[in-house]
Amino acid sequence: MDPAKVLILNQTFEPFQVCSARRAVILLFAGKAERVEDTSRVFRSPSTSFVLPSVIRLHRFVRRPVQPTIAFNKKNILKRDAHTCQYCGRNGGERMTIDHVIPKSLGGRTVWENVVSACRTCNLKKGNKPLAEAGMHLLRRPTKPLSAFYLGILVHAAQRCEGWSKYLPLEADAHAMMGGR
Ligand SMILES: [Zn+2]
């Protein structure tokens, strides 16, 4: 079956989990969930054919366990930024560097809100200058990911988000939704 991922919404329409298309179809056939968004792809077997879902919603509310805080490290910073240079938008895979938006030499701290993924070219170009002086700007303001759960969902969405985006809260809204953690 299709390896694409499906977004599962809780009964309340909040993002709940990301699962395989196979699991989503099992949930639909078992009557545990309903289709919310479809993909443009159709699964065909000799006996049946159906449109693969992109987003499904659980019929019953499921309480999600409290999410541990996400570790602050290079791997997770790159993950948050989908391995994309936050200055030029280039995807540099594993060869990305981490840049301090406000340079350390100017008092910039090493925190989620001040570090971004940057390609080598942009990192060199920016050097120890503040953004304005370097004549560069950020694709988006860096924030602390809410949890490993959200980071995972955002990474999937960045890669392939057929129909997902309207169910994913903006970072700020999600923060309030999850009790401001
Ligand atoms: Zn760049």
Side-chain angles (χ1 to χ4, degrees):
M1 186 166 299
D2 198 288
K5 298 291 184 187
V6 175
L7 177 64
I8 304 182
L9 301 176
N10 213 333
Q11 189 242 343
T12 53
F13 282 94
E14 287 170 49
F16 178 69
Q17 216 171 60
V18 174
C19 73
S20 64
R22 181 188 168 81
R23 173 145 192 270
V25 167
I26 290 171
L27 287 169
L28 289 177
F29 276 74
K32 294 198 188 303
E34 64 181 5
R35 274 170 194 278
V36 176
E37 299 282 335
D38 287 332
T39 63
S40 46
R41 295 185 307 280
V42 177
F43 172 79
R44 284 191 180 85
S45 79
S47 55
T48 183
S49 78
F50 51 85
V51 175
L52 287 173
S54 155
V55 181
I56 63 170
R57 173 187 171 225
L58 297 172
H59 286 312
R60 302 180 69 169
F61 179 74
V62 179
R63 198 168 290 280
R64 196 173 53 226
V66 173
Q67 296 288 318
T69 312
I70 188 161
F72 180 69
N73 55 39
K74 181 177 178 180
K75 191 176 139 223
N76 284 337
I77 296 165
L78 293 178
K79 214 168 166 188
R80 178 195 68 185
D81 297 341
H83 291 264
T84 302
C85 174
Q86 295 300 294
Y87 297 115
C88 72
R90 194 180 313 162
N91 189 303
E94 298 301 320
R95 296 188 56 224
M96 299 296 283
T97 64
I98 301 298
D99 182 62
H100 283 72
V101 180
I102 300 168
K104 272 203 258 187
S105 57
L106 297 176
R109 295 196 300 144
T110 307
V111 292
W112 284 108
E113 294 82 0
N114 192 48
V115 295
V116 293
S117 308
C119 70
R120 281 164 205 277
T121 311
C122 287
N123 202 330
L124 269 175
K125 187 177 158 200
K126 184 159 170 294
N128 282 327
K129 297 188 284 290
L131 269 185
E133 204 181 297
M136 297 165 78
H137 29 102
L138 285 166
L139 296 182
R140 58 180 178 186
R141 197 169 57 86
T143 53
K144 181 183 175 183
L146 292 157
S147 63
F149 165 72
Y150 263 94
L151 188 60
I153 280 200
L154 292 175
V155 168
H156 282 302
Q159 289 162 350
R160 190 198 137 278
C161 58
E162 205 175 343
W164 286 26
S165 52
K166 63 181 147 179
Y167 301 100
L168 298 177
L170 296 170
E171 196 88 0
D173 297 343
H175 219 268
M177 190 178 94
M178 297 190 49
R181 272 192 305 118

